[in-house]
Amino acid sequence: MNNATTHTPQRHGKATVLRIVMIALAAVLLAGAGWSAVNLHAISIYNQATLALDAAIKDSTSTGVDLDALHTRQQQTDAQFAEASSLRAALLPSVRESLEANASTSRALTQRTAETLRRQNTAKQGQGDASTSSPSASSSPRNDNGMNAEQRDKLDKLLTSNERSTSGHVDDGKTPTQDSTVKPW
C-alpha cells in the first residue's frame, strides 16, 4: 500500500507536465495558424491587386482608353495594395518585398494617369474656349481624347445633328422643333 501511494504523486507530476507541454504546443500551433492565415489573406489581396495592375498597365498602353475609368480602377488597386500591406509586420519577407514593389509600380501608374488626365482636361478646356470663339473648331478633326472610333463617330453625328438644329437648316424638310432624333443631352 505504501508503494501505491508513492507512485501517484509522480504520475500526477508527469501528467501535469505533459498537459502543460501540450497546451504550450497547442498555443504555438494556434499562433502559427493565425500567422499563416494573415499571410494567406494578404497574398490573396495581393494577387487580386496584381491582376488589376497588370490589366491597367496593358490598358494604359493601348489607344482609346477611358482615362477616367482607368484612374478610378488604379485608385482601387492602390487601396487593395494598402490593405494587403496593412499587416506588414506579420508578413513573410518575400511577400512584403513583392507587395512593396507592385504597390510602388501601382502608385507610379496612378500618378501618371492623373497627370495625363490633368493635361487632357486642360487641353479640353482650351479647346472649349477656342470653340466658343470660332464656330469651325467643332467641325475640325478630333484628336484621340480617350474615345474609340465608334464613340467618335457617334459624337460627330450628334454634333452635326445639333449644328443643323441650331442653324435652322435641316436636310429632311422638318423644322428643328419637329426633328425627334435630336436629344437635348
Side-chain angles (χ1 to χ4, degrees):
M1 210 161 46
N2 201 4
N3 247 353
T5 317
T6 57
H7 289 304
T8 306
Q10 286 181 340
R11 282 188 185 158
H12 262 323
K14 288 181 183 180
T16 303
V17 170
L18 184 60
R19 285 184 188 141
I20 292 172
V21 169
M22 294 298 285
I23 289 171
L25 183 61
V28 167
L29 289 175
L30 188 61
W35 181 64
S36 296
V38 166
N39 275 281
L40 286 174
H41 179 68
I43 289 170
S44 174
I45 295 171
Y46 164 79
N47 287 339
Q48 291 172 358
T50 300
L51 287 174
L53 177 61
D54 289 342
I57 290 171
K58 182 181 174 188
D59 288 347
S60 71
T61 59
S62 66
T63 57
V65 66
D66 182 6
L67 287 176
D68 286 325
L70 178 63
H71 185 65
T72 302
R73 286 195 326 251
Q74 265 310 109
Q75 288 174 328
Q76 292 169 347
T77 302
D78 287 345
Q80 284 180 319
F81 279 120
E83 180 184 352
S85 65
S86 65
L87 299 170
R88 187 179 185 281
L91 298 178
L92 291 168
S94 61
V95 174
R96 190 179 320 127
E97 290 168 5
S98 298
L99 183 64
E100 288 171 355
N102 282 357
S104 175
T105 302
S106 182
R107 284 189 303 271
L109 180 60
T110 302
Q111 289 173 349
R112 190 181 89 187
T113 305
E115 182 60 32
T116 304
L117 270 174
R118 271 188 236 115
R119 278 186 269 133
Q120 257 189 7
N121 288 339
T122 303
K124 283 181 183 178
Q125 287 174 351
Q127 287 177 355
D129 294 342
S131 68
T132 57
S133 63
S134 85
S136 64
S138 63
S139 61
S140 65
R142 305 254 184 268
N143 292 334
D144 184 45
N145 57 1
M147 294 189 293
N148 62 28
E150 182 180 322
Q151 290 172 330
R152 280 192 294 270
D153 290 341
K154 285 181 181 180
L155 181 61
D156 286 337
K157 287 178 185 177
L158 180 62
L159 287 173
T160 304
S161 175
N162 283 343
E163 284 176 8
R164 281 187 281 144
S165 68
T166 57
S167 67
H169 173 61
V170 179
D171 293 335
D172 61 0
K174 295 180 182 177
T175 62
T177 57
Q178 293 173 335
D179 190 5
S180 63
T181 60
V182 176
K183 304 291 185 204
W185 56 89

